[in-house]
Amino acid sequence: MNIKPENVLINASHLHGPGPSYSDIDKPIVKAVKEAIKNMVPVDAGVGKGYEDRIMENRRIKLKNGKEWTIRHANPLPPDEEVAGIGPVDPEIGILRLNRKDGRTLAVVYNFACHPYQRCSEQRNHCRFSRFCLKSDRG
């Protein structure tokens, strides 16, 4: 495929609970890269950033005794008088938008550090909160 190593970016993520698990993850990745190379077109690139601080939380609570407490569904929270503060969050959303030369959107890539604990319409926790971002950019 003749891709220079400095042009490779690898993303790492994880799942909680049941979900797909691949022992041969390299095969679908190589397939996707080959398909992308085959379908390359000239684009105009734009970058931007957004800000969202309402949907995430840092699960680490700093206690007055110097220890940390991790919020989990099964753990009771420590009493308020023992809490010194919470850990930081990163509210910035990095955005890369690629438009075809005729102005139609080809792709939008965003980076947002979020550990979702909210429940969506399926009444379970999952990583599909990204679909809400996709719905906001259909132009």
Side-chain angles (χ1 to χ4, degrees):
M1 290 184 272
N2 294 324
I3 301 173
K4 295 178 183 177
E6 61 267 21
N7 293 334
V8 174
L9 174 68
I10 297 176
N11 177 56
S13 188
H14 68 283
L15 295 172
H16 292 268
S21 179
Y22 296 98
S23 59
D24 59 346
I25 189 66
D26 58 314
K27 289 177 180 57
I29 292 172
V30 169
K31 180 181 176 186
V33 170
K34 286 181 178 179
E35 186 176 326
I37 290 171
K38 184 178 86 173
N39 292 309
M40 283 191 346
V41 296
V43 298
D44 292 318
V47 297
K49 62 182 176 178
Y51 183 89
E52 173 56 63
D53 65 355
R54 299 167 297 172
I55 67 168
M56 82 285 247
E57 66 183 358
N58 188 316
R59 297 183 309 143
R60 308 261 191 265
I61 297 175
K62 297 176 184 178
L63 301 177
K64 290 178 180 174
N65 65 8
K67 295 182 179 180
E68 288 188 350
W69 185 276
T70 300
I71 299 171
R72 297 188 186 277
H73 294 292
N75 289 356
L77 292 173
D80 288 347
E81 59 271 8
E82 293 180 17
V83 177
I86 58 171
V89 296
D90 180 3
E92 187 173 280
I93 305 168
I95 304 166
L96 168 66
R97 181 173 173 152
L98 304 176
N99 287 347
R100 293 176 176 89
K101 290 296 184 176
D102 65 6
R104 292 181 298 139
T105 301
L106 175 65
V108 176
V109 180
Y110 62 92
N111 180 49
F112 183 48
C114 184
H115 195 286
Y117 267 106
Q118 71 278 7
R119 296 180 189 274
C120 294
S121 59
E122 292 87 2
Q123 293 300 308
R124 61 179 193 210
N125 296 328
H126 53 67
C127 62
R128 293 187 191 138
F129 73 99
S130 59
R131 73 171 173 233
F132 300 114
C133 295
L134 297 176
K135 288 181 180 181
S136 70
D137 183 45
R138 291 291 181 184

